[in-house]
Amino acid sequence: AFRSKGFLHAKRRLSNEDIGAGWAWEHGRVDASEDGTETNDATLRLTVNSMVQQMLSGNGPTMGNIARIVHSKIQLDNAVRELDGKLPADVSALVRTAGSKAVEEDGKSSVRLDENAVEKARQLLNKMMLDGWAELDDILFEFKEFQARNRGEYEQVVSDLLRLGSQVARLDGQQVSASQGIYDADRERKDGEARMEQSSQDFMAQKFENAGELNSRKNDIAVLDFMLGVTQCKGKDQEENSFIEDAAAAIPKLTSAGGSNGSSALSLPQVQICSVDGGFELSFDDIELQMKVERMMTPAARLSLRGVLGQLPKQILEPRLTLLHLSDNNNSKPLSAQPPLVAGKQVETMAPAKTSINGRNAKGNASAAVAASIGGIQPPPHQHIPPVLHSVAKAPNPDSNQWRKCINAASHCRVLHDLLSVQWANIRDDFDGLTQEMVDSQAAFDATMKSVNDELTVVNDKKTKFMELLSSTISSINADTEETNEKEDQRRSLTHEFDRISAVYHEKISDILFSRICAVRRVRNEILGRSAVTPIINVVDCDFSDWTSKTGQCLNSMGAPIVCDDGCPGRDPYKCGGSETMKRDIVVPPNAYGMQCPTMERQRRCSQKRCPVNCVVSAWSGWSKCSKDCGGGVQVKTRSVLMKPRSGGLGCDAMQEARPCNTGSCDHDCQLEDWNNWSPCSAACGGGISSRSRPVLVPIRGRGRCPKPDAGERLQEQHCNTHDCVGDELCATQQDLVMLLDGSGSLGKDGFETLRSFAAELSGTYATRYDGQSAARIAIGLFGNGRLTSLPDGTTAISPAIAVQSLTDDRHLVQKSIAALKWQRGFTNLAQALALADTLLLQGGRQRVQSSVIVLSDGKYSFKYQISEKVQELKDKNVQIFMAPVVEFGDSREMRDLRRWASFPWQTSFQQIPGVEVLKHNEKVFAQKLVTKFCPDSFSPALQRSNDNQKQYMLVRKGGRPNKKCATWQHQITESTTDACATAARAAKAQAFGFLVQMQNQCLLLRIKGISREYWDAAARHFTEVACPGGEWEDNEMADTYIINPATL
């Protein structure tokens, strides 16, 4: 709407004095002299033009104010000059006359005009003013339509520039963030690559070191392999015979030439144990074999062998040592001959050996021998061996002639072989441990490399995303910058066009207002001021308001309201947009003498601008994974732009939102579950342990803390079954049991026989059937037969344990198999025994039945590393492992290892038997101790009979009921306990009852013929399998069958 409060007003409504005090004077637009003289024409035109410009911009006076100011200030001469040539001749003459300055003293003109001419001039001038207003409306409407089009588009452009500026600023920040992200990713990648390089260097250095150590240990094993081969006994009496044939074959027979009879074979010991400085050594008669040993020998193997020889009892080493001296070759030489230097030592015998060869005596020197220095610590006394050779002293000058005390090693091959096998097992454990360490190190290195590679992959992905973001950001910045430039050009173009066209319209409006309206009115008023018929006081011109919208709506050609048109701007501005009805109101209606009212209503073009397009975005994605597991991370969600804004539309909101996550500390203590139920008692009698624990619900994080599994916060134990054992306890639990017996050489023959007898006694405490159901099944394995065997590829392996008996419920067969066991005299190959147990359980084990292994040994073992692996394999399969070592002292390293290998808790899976002699005289006692500890469900038949006699009813079939041939059903009742069911059976004269545990404690009363006192006593004695009189039992897991003592019926 145009700002106006009325346009033309009579002098009576607004005087010149009012105008003088009005806007023009207030704003200094029109200057007046102090005596009120009129401003000149040029100044007035400039003032009118300025006011029109401000009025059209919406900041200046209204059109009425401008007209009043111009009318009051325009000079009559200027007004007359403006109308020059625009009026008819007669009117023009009248105007000139009116312009005369002849005025009387009272202010009235002294010139009187022709009233007809005045009337004609009045009509003509009123029409000219009305036409001027019509022309002014046309120009004004044209300008307003242009202004709406131009400023509407300008505002859209400015809005787009603001939006683009905000976007570019945000994109600049995003560019900086992306660049920083790329920089950080590059730094993280360099750090990761540096860690990989350092880890690789450390790993390779350790790997080369371990590889060298592994090769050294492999050489040590090769030396011990050889020594075990040459010290292994053979024949029926392995303690008295020489070494195995392979070793003997490697040592050629020695000959010496003596006398005229020629050469003959010398029967000298093949291997001797000699005392040298620092310990003992093995000396081989064959020099080639000795040199081979020297080539194989490593420093570690030499120390190990010296340690083994140092463990031999003094009774073996000291009394039986003989004096040995070796000459410089294999030929006989006088005793005074200078002995040769062999391996840095000179050795010599006391005198030429004399032996009987093929029935005749031969005299000669012993062959040259080279000693492998194998010394060690002094062993403790073991057993007394009477001396058979005399002892001698060393030569007084060891540098020139070293004498050594030696004994025949073949006489003590068993003891030596056992000690060597233990040492070989230790070296092999070290070898296997180092091998596994290298495997673990490789796995850890691979895991580290994978972890770092994963980190680098994440870093690369992050860098890629930042690079993509940077590229996208730069692309967006370039696009927005280009669009900004275009919008700036468009803004400048619109501004230039607006300023240019506005100036034209300002000039036109000012000219029409000055010359077509105000000048005409000034002349008309001057003429009428000299009329007597129509004086100016009687003239009332039409006064009207400014233009306003009639409906406030812009309608298109179809009559629908619109606010914009995407077809704008076009070449023809009148073909786009809509039209709006404008109106103005008559403030003062004209009389017959004044100017009539112009058009009060007309159409104006509107909404000639493009429709603004707001930004359209997609829906939010889901929240991303937290960037950190702890310590404060970030989750983000994103959305994409589906349509970019234009034409002043609303810009896009944030395309990404973030929120904090996992703000908790990285150091978090573990969370424990509630206490679980108490475990079954670990022993059937004599005092056991029941425990309960709290498993970890949430593990620790970072440097958090968590109680150890055996800490009081997580483990509670209580004593149970503290009553004394009766002494006849039997294990009636369903389990598959593998009993492993030790037959190693370290146990000794007597010790093995004692252990074998004890195993038979122990097997008798396991009931293979109980209450008609299968109970224990037993398998027997024998170990202690450990020997080295050569493989086709040249390596050695340990002989496997012996499978004596597979799983069976025939207890007599088990005891027969145990009685047939033979002493193996090898080293303790427990790892192979555990592997055998695993095989036996796999081949004959039952589903849903506990698998168990009992190890009966002397507490010694070889190959600790292999044993640990096999133990873990069995535990992973939920196999119970029980250890029963027969050893006098129980605080050794071996005992600690056996307790660790036993199932958890070891207190219920480990039982030490204090020595062979104690076991020999107390087999039954320890059998009862083991069965009550290793079988918590064991029971005493005597105590069971006593309880049955006290209750006067007995369980005869668990998980079964009699068939129709054996019993008849009386009726079924509901009872909560077996005691109540037994009472009901007696009341009904029923000989038996079935208790259905899984059917809401239903009690089935039965009549069974043949239930007598004899049957009761027989059932009490033969509890493993009680016959059903006249019929058979039917298996039924839900029912247990009891008989009533017939004496109570």
Side-chain angles (χ1 to χ4, degrees):
F2 304 137
R3 296 176 55 195
S4 177
K5 294 184 180 179
F7 180 60
L8 297 177
H9 299 272
K11 287 185 177 180
R12 66 177 180 270
R13 298 183 59 208
L14 185 62
S15 65
N16 288 338
E17 289 75 13
D18 295 330
I19 296 175
W23 183 90
W25 302 118
E26 183 181 347
H27 290 79
R29 298 299 186 183
V30 178
D31 296 330
S33 61
E34 188 174 357
D35 57 358
T37 60
E38 300 286 348
T39 61
N40 59 48
D41 181 68
T43 302
L44 184 58
R45 280 184 175 274
L46 289 174
T47 301
V48 171
N49 190 53
S50 177
M51 287 190 293
V52 168
Q53 183 177 355
Q54 294 182 30
M55 181 271 295
L56 293 177
S57 65
N59 297 322
T62 64
M63 191 68 74
N65 285 337
I66 296 174
R68 286 190 293 273
I69 291 173
V70 175
H71 176 262
S72 64
K73 299 301 180 181
I74 189 171
Q75 296 178 6
L76 181 60
D77 292 343
N78 292 335
V80 171
R81 189 167 46 251
E82 290 293 332
L83 297 180
D84 188 25
K86 300 178 181 179
L87 300 173
D90 53 348
V91 177
S92 179
L94 184 64
V95 169
R96 284 193 297 273
T97 301
S100 145
K101 296 183 179 180
V103 182
E104 295 181 357
E105 292 181 2
D106 59 357
K108 297 182 180 180
S109 176
S110 60
V111 180
R112 294 299 175 182
L113 302 178
D114 182 31
E115 292 296 333
N116 292 328
V118 170
E119 180 63 22
K120 181 179 179 180
R122 182 187 64 78
Q123 294 178 2
L124 178 62
L125 293 175
N126 281 343
K127 183 178 184 302
M128 287 180 66
M129 283 194 298
L130 186 61
D131 293 341
W133 276 111
E135 185 178 357
L136 181 61
D137 288 340
D138 291 340
I139 297 299
L140 189 61
F141 268 67
E142 287 181 9
F143 175 75
K144 287 298 182 179
E145 290 173 355
F146 162 75
Q147 185 184 42
R149 288 195 304 271
N150 184 279
R151 293 298 89 184
E153 188 174 358
Y154 179 85
E155 290 174 0
Q156 289 182 341
V157 170
V158 171
S159 178
D160 288 341
L161 286 172
L162 292 175
R163 172 181 56 80
L164 291 170
S166 176
Q167 288 181 191
V168 170
R170 178 175 56 83
L171 290 172
D172 287 340
Q174 190 169 296
Q175 181 181 8
V176 173
S177 299
S179 300
Q180 183 65 37
I182 293 174
Y183 172 79
D184 293 340
D186 288 336
R187 179 176 53 80
E188 291 177 11
R189 180 173 181 82
K190 289 180 181 179
D191 293 343
E193 290 174 346
R195 283 189 287 121
M196 288 184 68
E197 181 66 24
Q198 185 63 44
S199 298
S200 298
Q201 292 178 0
D202 295 343
F203 170 73
M204 294 306 297
Q206 187 64 44
K207 181 177 181 180
F208 289 144
E209 180 181 349
N210 289 342
E213 180 64 22
L214 190 68
N215 186 63
S216 175
R217 294 182 184 182
K218 186 182 295 183
N219 294 334
D220 296 343
I221 290 176
V223 173
L224 268 296
D225 283 348
F226 177 80
M227 292 301 177
L228 282 174
V230 300
T231 59
Q232 186 171 349
C233 303
K234 68 174 184 177
K236 293 182 179 180
D237 189 354
Q238 296 184 12
E239 287 201 26
E240 298 298 329
N241 288 332
S242 60
F243 303 116
I244 60 174
E245 295 179 359
D246 292 340
I251 305 175
K253 293 183 179 180
L254 304 178
T255 60
S256 76
S260 60
N261 294 330
S263 63
S264 61
L266 275 173
S267 178
L268 292 178
Q270 296 173 352
V271 182
Q272 299 194 42
I273 302 173
C274 298
S275 173
V276 295
D277 291 339
F280 300 93
E281 65 179 16
L282 289 179
S283 177
F284 292 88
D285 290 352
D286 185 89
I287 190 170
E288 294 182 0
L289 186 60
Q290 186 68 43
M291 294 304 294
K292 177 180 179 181
V293 172
E294 288 292 336
R295 287 192 299 269
M296 295 173 58
M297 192 65 64
T298 64
R302 189 182 302 277
L303 290 175
S304 297
L305 291 173
R306 285 181 177 178
V308 169
L309 294 177
Q311 297 180 42
L312 291 172
K314 289 183 179 181
Q315 291 86 344
I316 294 178
L317 294 176
E318 292 182 356
R320 300 181 62 137
L321 289 174
T322 185
L323 204 60
L324 175 66
H325 173 267
L326 299 180
S327 63
D328 56 346
N329 53 46
N330 291 336
N331 297 326
S332 299
K333 285 189 177 183
L335 186 61
S336 62
Q338 182 69 21
L341 181 64
V342 180
K345 300 177 183 179
Q346 290 178 337
V347 293
E348 183 176 300
T349 57
M350 286 285 293
K354 296 182 180 181
T355 58
S356 175
I357 304 176
N358 296 329
R360 52 195 179 95
N361 293 334
K363 180 180 179 181
N365 295 335
S367 63
V370 182
S373 299
I374 312 169
I377 60 174
Q378 290 294 332
H382 182 65
Q383 58 182 356
H384 177 70
I385 301 176
V388 295
L389 296 177
H390 60 280
S391 62
V392 297
K394 293 184 179 179
N397 187 2
D399 293 335
S400 60
N401 196 11
Q402 181 177 355
W403 301 90
R404 298 183 300 173
K405 298 178 180 179
C406 302
I407 63 171
N408 183 3
S411 301
H412 309 284
C413 63
R414 183 185 63 80
V415 177
L416 181 61
H417 185 77
D418 284 349
L419 292 174
L420 285 174
S421 67
V422 172
Q423 190 64 29
W424 181 84
N426 293 335
I427 295 177
R428 184 58 184 266
D429 279 342
D430 293 340
F431 177 83
D432 291 340
L434 182 58
T435 301
Q436 185 61 42
E437 180 182 340
M438 293 179 68
V439 172
D440 295 341
S441 177
Q442 180 71 51
F445 173 73
D446 293 341
T448 300
M449 292 296 102
K450 183 179 183 303
S451 176
V452 176
N453 278 324
D454 291 343
E455 291 179 11
L456 292 180
T457 300
V458 173
V459 170
N460 290 338
D461 292 342
K462 183 165 65 173
K463 180 179 179 180
T464 300
K465 291 180 180 179
F466 279 124
M467 292 182 68
E468 291 175 353
L469 177 61
L470 180 62
S471 175
S472 174
T473 302
I474 293 176
S475 176
S476 298
I477 290 176
N478 293 336
D480 288 351
T481 302
E482 182 178 356
E483 186 178 356
T484 299
N485 294 334
E486 294 176 356
K487 293 295 180 181
E488 285 289 352
D489 293 340
Q490 188 176 359
R491 182 181 66 82
R492 286 191 292 269
S493 176
L494 290 169
T495 301
H496 176 72
E497 180 185 20
F498 181 77
D499 292 342
R500 179 179 58 82
I501 296 179
S502 293
V504 173
Y505 279 103
H506 293 165
E507 186 65 28
K508 287 183 178 181
I509 293 172
S510 298
D511 183 67
I512 293 172
L513 187 62
F514 189 86
S515 63
R516 300 288 301 277
I517 298 175
C518 293
V520 173
R521 183 180 179 216
R522 178 73 176 84
V523 171
R524 188 204 68 175
N525 287 352
E526 185 65 29
I527 293 174
L528 294 180
R530 300 183 182 189
S531 172
V533 178
T534 55
I536 189 64
I537 194 65
N538 295 330
V539 176
V540 179
D541 292 328
C542 181
D543 194 6
F544 46 86
S545 65
D546 281 347
W547 290 104
T548 58
S549 176
K550 184 177 182 179
T551 61
Q553 289 185 332
C554 184
L555 306 176
N556 61 12
S557 59
M558 304 298 293
I562 61 172
V563 294
C564 57
D565 187 354
D566 288 331
C568 297
R571 292 184 178 181
D572 187 355
Y574 295 99
K575 291 185 178 180
C576 73
S579 61
E580 182 180 13
T581 302
M582 305 297 294
K583 73 176 183 66
R584 53 188 172 186
D585 299 326
I586 298 175
V587 178
V588 178
N591 61 10
Y593 306 110
M595 183 194 73
Q596 298 301 304
C597 292
T599 303
M600 292 291 107
E601 189 174 298
R602 65 180 293 175
Q603 298 293 318
R604 189 190 76 169
R605 302 300 297 177
C606 56
S607 299
Q608 291 182 306
K609 62 180 180 180
R610 290 190 181 94
C611 295
V613 177
N614 297 332
C615 176
V616 179
V617 296
S618 66
W620 285 107
S621 66
W623 288 104
S624 67
K625 181 182 178 182
C626 191
S627 60
K628 294 177 65 177
D629 292 334
C630 57
V634 177
Q635 283 182 301
V636 296
K637 64 177 181 178
T638 59
R639 56 183 177 181
S640 58
V641 177
L642 301 180
M643 181 177 295
K644 291 184 177 181
R646 63 177 183 271
S647 303
L650 296 177
C652 300
D653 202 353
M655 294 293 103
Q656 177 175 300
E657 287 188 359
R659 69 179 182 185
C661 57
N662 292 344
T663 56
S665 171
C666 290
D667 300 331
H668 191 279
D669 294 343
C670 70
Q671 295 182 14
L672 303 178
E673 295 182 10
D674 294 334
W675 290 102
N676 53 24
N677 297 328
W678 287 99
S679 66
C681 191
S682 61
C685 56
I689 296 176
S690 178
S691 63
R692 64 174 183 174
S693 61
R694 297 183 65 186
V696 174
L697 179 62
V698 179
I700 63 172
R701 187 170 60 191
R703 297 182 179 180
R705 297 181 177 182
C706 192
K708 294 182 178 180
D710 57 352
E713 296 89 339
R714 292 184 57 185
L715 180 66
Q716 291 182 349
E717 295 179 345
Q718 64 181 9
H719 294 287
C720 54
N721 290 347
T722 55
H723 59 278
D724 294 335
C725 297
V726 176
D728 64 342
E729 282 76 16
L730 296 176
C731 180
T733 304
Q734 279 194 329
Q735 64 174 312
D736 294 329
L737 175 66
V738 178
M739 193 177 296
L740 301 176
L741 273 72
D742 185 5
S744 60
S746 60
L747 188 62
K749 185 176 182 180
D750 292 341
F752 172 74
E753 291 176 351
T754 300
L755 194 64
R756 180 180 59 189
S757 176
F758 174 69
E761 180 69 29
L762 181 62
S763 66
T765 61
Y766 283 85
T768 57
R769 294 191 66 81
Y770 177 64
D771 290 332
Q773 296 292 322
S774 176
R777 298 176 65 184
I778 303 175
I780 303 297
L782 180 63
F783 66 101
N785 60 324
R787 291 177 179 83
L788 290 181
T789 58
S790 298
L791 300 178
D793 59 358
T795 60
T796 58
I798 297 138
S799 54
I802 301 172
V804 179
Q805 175 62 54
S806 60
L807 286 169
T808 179
D809 57 2
D810 189 340
R811 190 166 56 180
H812 298 291
L813 179 60
V814 170
Q815 293 179 339
K816 181 179 179 182
S817 300
I818 293 175
L821 297 179
K822 301 295 183 182
W823 182 37
Q824 298 300 306
R825 299 176 177 138
F827 53 80
T828 311
N829 52 343
L830 180 56
Q832 286 69 30
L834 294 174
L836 172 64
D838 191 12
T839 302
L840 292 173
L841 291 172
L842 182 63
Q843 292 175 348
R846 293 168 290 178
Q847 294 183 352
R848 295 183 295 179
V849 172
Q850 178 63 56
S851 297
S852 305
V853 176
I854 291 181
V855 179
L856 303 177
S857 69
D858 64 351
K860 298 182 177 63
Y861 57 81
S862 302
F863 314 107
K864 176 180 177 180
Y865 178 80
Q866 293 182 3
I867 296 173
S868 298
E869 282 192 328
K870 293 301 178 183
V871 164
Q872 191 59 49
E873 289 180 12
L874 290 174
K875 288 183 178 179
D876 290 342
K877 296 178 180 179
N878 198 31
V879 176
Q880 288 289 112
I881 300 177
F882 303 109
M883 294 290 181
V886 182
V887 59
E888 186 174 354
F889 301 103
D891 195 25
S892 63
R893 176 179 60 85
E894 289 84 358
M895 291 301 99
R896 291 193 293 271
D897 288 336
L898 291 178
R899 285 193 289 266
R900 178 169 56 87
W901 290 333
S903 294
F904 179 84
W906 68 266
Q907 291 88 346
T908 63
S909 304
F910 176 87
Q911 178 61 55
Q912 177 192 351
I913 300 174
V916 174
E917 289 299 320
V918 175
L919 176 62
K920 184 176 182 179
H921 301 289
N922 299 275
E923 289 182 0
K924 186 174 181 60
V925 173
F926 285 106
Q928 289 297 314
K929 190 171 186 64
L930 261 62
V931 74
T932 55
K933 182 178 243 187
F934 294 167
C935 182
D937 292 336
S938 59
F939 74 102
S940 167
L943 184 61
Q944 183 67 42
R945 284 194 294 270
S946 175
N947 291 336
D948 291 342
N949 290 329
Q950 182 178 1
K951 295 185 299 182
Q952 298 299 318
Y953 66 90
M954 178 192 307
L955 176 66
V956 293
R957 189 72 177 189
K958 185 174 181 62
R961 62 185 182 184
N963 61 6
K964 294 182 179 180
K965 294 182 178 180
C966 178
T968 57
W969 298 1
Q970 286 187 245
H971 56 276
Q972 185 171 320
I973 59 176
T974 300
E975 295 292 348
S976 59
T977 64
T978 54
D979 288 341
C981 193
T983 301
R986 291 191 190 94
K989 304 298 183 180
Q991 292 87 357
F993 64 90
F995 193 68
L996 308 179
V997 180
Q998 300 184 17
M999 293 184 63
Q1000 299 180 353
N1001 298 333
Q1002 294 294 309
C1003 181
L1004 184 62
L1005 304 184
L1006 304 173
R1007 287 189 177 275
I1008 301 179
K1009 299 178 180 180
I1011 301 297
S1012 60
R1013 183 64 184 180
E1014 291 75 14
Y1015 183 87
W1016 172 271
D1017 294 338
R1021 290 191 304 271
H1022 306 291
F1023 56 87
T1024 58
E1025 189 73 43
V1026 179
C1028 190
E1032 296 178 350
W1033 299 106
E1034 294 179 351
D1035 292 335
N1036 188 333
E1037 294 182 356
M1038 296 188 299
D1040 296 334
T1041 302
Y1042 298 80
I1043 61 172
I1044 303 294
N1045 189 344
T1048 63
L1049 294 176

